Amino acid sequence: MNVQPIASHFIDGQYVEDTAGIPLPVIYPATGETIATLHCATPAIVDRALAAAARAQVAWAAMTGTERGRILRRAADIMRDRNHDLSVLETMDTGKPYQETSVADATSGADALEYFGGLAGSLTGEHIPLPGGDWAYTIREPLGVCVGIGAWNYPTQIACWKTAPALACGNAMVFKPSETTPLCALKVAEILTEAGAPPGLINVVQGAGEVGAQLVTDARVAKVSLTGSVPTGKKVYAAAAEGMKHVTMELGGKSPLIVFDDADLDDAVGGAILGNFYSSGQVCSNGTRVFVQRGILEAFLQRLTERLQTAVIGDPMDPETNFGPMVSEAQLRIALDYIAKGVDEGARLVTGGMRIDKPGAWITPAVFADVTDDMAIAREEIFGPVMCVLDFDTEDEALTRANATEFGLAAGVFTCDLARAHRVAAGFQAGTCYINSYNDAPVEMPFGGSKLSGVGRENSKAAIEHYSQLKSVYVRMGRVEAPF
Ligand code: NDP
């Protein structure tokens, strides 16, 4: 498959190149080979994209929601038809196994386009009766030009999760993918355009942080939605605040997963595997602090170790492979450094954590036991396949320790005690919680974090609030009474 795109950027309905930009090699993480070379956007390219978006947004907002929704739903259908090719591209971009990408990326993007396409026609204001026969009404208006900035772990999904609600509400989008995974968002723009999105409505520009920063500070931009790390989130939030822009911040985490001794052991082990090793551990909401009640600790570790031996690590394009490389050499290095730190801090490396001796960013899934709350591996986001297992005795203790973090993205609990499950979920300081499950992200459910993990919510009807604003109109039906 030739993955070199027609050009680096997608602006005003077509592919655009500007070779004056810094070259951007795309590396296939499974082999370390360069599979395409793009160019970062120059300031002139960024300006063109924003100008196109500002122009297209006006006409798009004047269409009915039903008309806008039809285009989004058509794009969802095209995406599903092309799921195979889009999944192969996602695998080339990220290294994630095809077994995952074929069910979790373009499909999730299509779900968002379909869901928000369906909602578009129902987005209205409301009528508010007031004393004396007066009344008010609200008009739900788009914000204008939205900027989306993506992380590298889910390039298709992130582009769709931001673009679909933005467009449904009548906004235009300029999206900047991570420089590590620049390929997939171009396809999202191409498909939306093919589905009927007018030129300029969805634009993709490539580049690293400087391009993101240029977008965020431009006066034409009304809203910024970032998926990325907490340090980047702080910078982008502060830059957006200068222009009082709306923001959505989907940031990092160090989420807890509490396993009580009455839990179904295999389900809990399965949840911990999904919540730590899917996408080679590169998932923001991962439950990387696994608190296991002392009585079942050894049984849990034994079952976990047995199941990890059955992981199929190999060619990501092989449908049997279920554990691929990390996204880059740089990200692998970060994970290996944390593993060395964990050993130094006195944690017990139960299994994995070894670099696999072949080209590409390969590592075996790692499990640490005897982890204590103060260790760096238990406090900091690693964003790699490194699970920390901690033991606990009581529910109160587990919840207090689970919440003792600056992050608040997700949290999970495994137990067969119904009342305890809901009590613990209510006590979690996290935006997205799971009972006897982990890491599900259906489009119908709000997704996002509390504390340093972010502000705003993606997906669900909640996202509409973050891509539109209300105008209130007061209507007086009688005479105006003034004091003089
Ligand atoms: P980064 O924070 O490094 O980058 C995120 C994006 O922001 C990239 O496109 C990056 O560009 C861009 N960027 C960097 N600096 C600036 C700036 N000053 N102004 C504007 N844009 C900027 O995150 P990663 O790409 O390394 O992704 C991993 C992080 O993302 C993890 O912390 C993870 O938890 C989080 N994440 C959160 C999710 C959520 O929904 N909550 C989901 C997925 C990931 P470039 O990288 O090209 O330099």
Side-chain angles (χ1 to χ4, degrees), residues 150-153 176 179 209 212 227-229 232 250-252 284 381 383:
W152 40 258
N153 56 346
K176 187 202 85 66
E179 65 177 315
T227 297
S229 61
T232 303
E250 290 293 349
L251 309 177
C284 51
E381 184 184 46
F383 221 59

Side-chain angles (χ1 to χ4, degrees), residues 294-316:
R294 203 175 302 279
I296 56 162
L297 181 66
E298 286 314 317
F300 180 91
L301 286 172
Q302 191 187 337
R303 191 73 191 107
L304 178 65
T305 312
E306 280 163 17
R307 285 181 60 174
L308 284 178
Q309 306 318 312
T310 67
V312 182
I313 305 175
D315 176 6

Side-chain angles (χ1 to χ4, degrees), residues 116-130:
F116 288 106
L119 274 189
S122 67
L123 303 178
T124 58
E126 62 180 351
H127 169 267
I128 304 161
L130 295 168

Side-chain angles (χ1 to χ4, degrees), residues 1 21 60 62 99 127 135 176 184 186 273 292 303 319 335 358 373 390 422 425-426 436:
M1 182 174 171
W60 178 250
Q99 191 186 95
H127 169 267
W135 53 287
K176 187 202 85 66
C184 297
L186 291 167
I273 289 174
V292 181
R303 191 73 191 107
K358 62 176 182 167
D373 297 351
L390 308 97
H422 293 290
N436 293 331

